[in-house]
Amino acid sequence: MTDDVAPPIDTGSRLPDLIVLAQEPSSEKRRALLRELTEHFFGAAQRSPAEDALYDAVLTDLTAEMETAVRAELSARFAVSPEAPRGLIRRLANDEVAVADAVLRASTVLTDEDLLGVVRSRGQAHLRAVSERSTVSEAVSDVIVERGDDDTLGVLLRNDGARLSRAASETAVERAKINPALHQAAVERADLPADLLNDMYFVVEARLRQRILEQNAAMDPVLLESALAAGRTRVATDDGALPPDYSECLAYVEELHAAQQLTPTMLARFLRSGSRTSFLIALAKLADVDFHTASQIVEKRELDALAVICKAAGLDRALFLTFAVVILGSEDNAMGKAHGYAMLYAELQRDAAMRTLRFWRMRRGTAAA
């Protein structure tokens, strides 16, 4: 027998003969038989349930004894068939990855139960293949997020056909925060909850920060409120100890506030005089964010984030530039860098800044609760 495509075979007369031949001990003959039986399966105009069961049993039995290349060829052939024998597909899906890859990526015969069996027990290559399916259910994604390494998580995050539960999204973002290789996949994920998207702001590069601001500006107000509500339920305030002079500075700032003397100009005076804690308390009060958020922005010189606060508060560009110059201090070309941030400040839309600030304010609201 050659590999040439055979003429159509009468299912009723030929199938029993093929099943008998399946008992042939010669591996070469069994390989040829496997190919003939595969062609017979795809060439049949219609099959009865009993015939389907026979195909499944014989194909699965023959496949088990074939070398990897033959099994991989069979996997690629049956992966795109919605009528492929279920037992055969399940067996191929649990094979080594060179064989399993095609059916794990494409076969619609596999159920969630089948896929869960694979992602709970197999290695990262199998998990990545499942992560690239055109659709991945929340149940399957949950296990992939739990068991997958960061490379696998990146594949899943980049697949818009994969649905992630709220819990899986939170876990994915926490992992993404500490791995720059995942930053873009997380920020650009279309269905990432908005509060989790804004959690990424302080860890990603400027290009991705700009994308977050753009998405905030374009967000439907109803969705914004929903995202804020979801975020308030999970935000923690475990940010470490306050500076030693916090209580003293807080009393002074509140005294100035009560006397209506806590002006933007006063903030600049705090910063120039080295009263860093007073400046941070005043900045936090001005923006209505918590102290630790203000501290992170200043101590890490997150001047694009400072621009968000100042723009939302309605401070003028000159005052923001003053803040930027003092915070950059002795850095090389501090003035040039400050003017660069001032240009960013000028381009920033106040609406986008105010929406972004609402996510940062969640920490303050949760602490108060």
Side-chain angles (χ1 to χ4, degrees), residues 18-19 28 45 53 61 67 73 105 115 121 123-124 164 166 224 229 231 236 270 275 277 283 289 306 309 311 322:
L18 292 174
I19 292 171
E28 186 62 36
D61 180 58
E67 61 266 31
E73 178 186 334
R105 290 174 186 270
L115 294 169
S121 62
Q124 296 301 315
L164 270 66
R166 172 74 195 195
L224 176 66
F270 283 147
S275 301
T277 301
L283 182 66
V289 297
L306 182 62
I309 283 182
K311 178 69 76 165
T322 298

Side-chain angles (χ1 to χ4, degrees), residues 26-348:
S26 165
S27 61
E28 186 62 36
K29 289 183 178 180
R30 287 169 72 84
R31 187 181 302 111
L33 174 61
L34 178 61
R35 290 195 174 118
E36 185 178 358
L37 195 57
T38 299
E39 295 300 330
H40 191 226
F41 174 86
F42 284 106
Q46 58 183 6
R47 298 179 300 274
S48 69
E51 287 171 339
D52 277 339
L54 284 172
Y55 275 118
D56 200 350
V58 178
L59 285 168
T60 302
D61 180 58
L62 286 170
T63 301
E65 300 181 15
M66 294 296 105
E67 61 266 31
T68 298
V70 175
R71 300 199 311 276
E73 178 186 334
L74 200 70
S75 176
R77 183 77 186 273
F78 279 97
V80 295
S81 172
E83 298 179 350
R86 176 166 161 73
L88 172 65
I89 292 295
R90 292 180 66 186
R91 191 227 173 275
L92 293 171
N94 285 279
D95 206 325
E96 60 183 287
V97 74
V99 176
D101 189 78
V103 295
L104 290 177
R105 290 174 186 270
S107 178
T108 58
V109 174
L110 291 169
T111 65
D112 262 14
E113 183 180 356
D114 298 330
L115 294 169
L116 285 168
V118 172
V119 298
R120 284 171 177 158
S121 62
R122 306 296 296 188
Q124 296 301 315
H126 286 73
L127 270 64
R128 282 193 283 275
V130 174
S131 297
E132 290 192 321
R133 290 174 66 85
S134 60
T135 60
V136 184
S137 71
E138 284 191 4
V140 175
S141 292
D142 280 352
V143 179
I144 293 174
V145 171
E146 177 186 347
R147 294 196 65 239
D149 61 20
D150 282 359
D151 287 341
T152 299
L153 179 58
V155 172
L156 187 71
L157 288 173
R158 285 187 285 271
N159 180 4
D160 286 336
R163 298 194 302 274
L164 270 66
S165 66
R166 172 74 195 195
S169 295
E170 290 179 5
T171 300
V173 165
E174 289 305 310
R175 289 173 58 181
K177 284 180 182 179
I178 58 176
N179 184 353
L182 292 173
H183 286 179
Q184 183 167 342
V187 170
E188 295 185 348
R189 181 161 180 82
D191 65 352
L192 187 70
D195 61 301
L196 298 181
L197 174 68
N198 280 272
D199 268 7
M200 295 294 297
Y201 184 91
F202 288 106
V203 299
V204 300
E205 63 181 348
R207 174 179 61 87
L208 294 176
R209 288 184 173 190
Q210 183 60 34
R211 184 178 179 90
I212 293 172
L213 291 174
E214 290 169 357
Q215 291 186 230
N216 287 343
M219 194 181 306
D220 182 281
V222 175
L223 294 180
L224 176 66
E225 289 303 323
S226 175
L228 288 166
R232 291 186 192 104
T233 66
R234 65 170 180 83
V235 173
T237 54
D238 184 17
D239 289 297
L242 295 167
D245 60 345
Y246 180 83
S247 296
E248 178 184 351
C249 291
L250 176 62
Y252 179 51
V253 169
E254 289 185 338
E255 180 181 330
L256 290 174
H257 181 66
Q260 298 184 339
Q261 296 177 7
L262 190 61
T263 62
T265 303
M266 181 62 73
L267 266 69
R269 189 176 302 166
F270 283 147
L271 199 53
R272 287 197 188 97
S273 66
S275 301
R276 182 62 62 96
T277 301
S278 294
F279 173 76
L280 293 175
I281 293 172
L283 182 66
K285 184 174 287 293
L286 177 72
D288 194 27
V289 297
D290 71 292
F291 176 84
H292 293 290
T293 297
S295 178
Q296 177 178 338
I297 289 171
V298 174
E299 300 302 330
K300 294 186 177 181
R301 299 178 179 179
E302 304 275 13
L303 295 188
D304 51 351
L306 182 62
V308 170
I309 283 182
C310 292
K311 178 69 76 165
L315 303 188
D316 62 38
R317 179 176 176 275
L319 188 59
F320 169 74
L321 180 59
T322 298
F323 291 167
V325 170
V326 177
I327 290 171
L328 289 172
S330 60
E331 279 195 18
D332 291 340
N333 192 28
M335 184 62 72
K337 291 179 182 177
H339 278 287
Y341 282 112
M343 290 178 62
L344 179 150
Y345 178 86
E347 294 170 358
L348 178 61

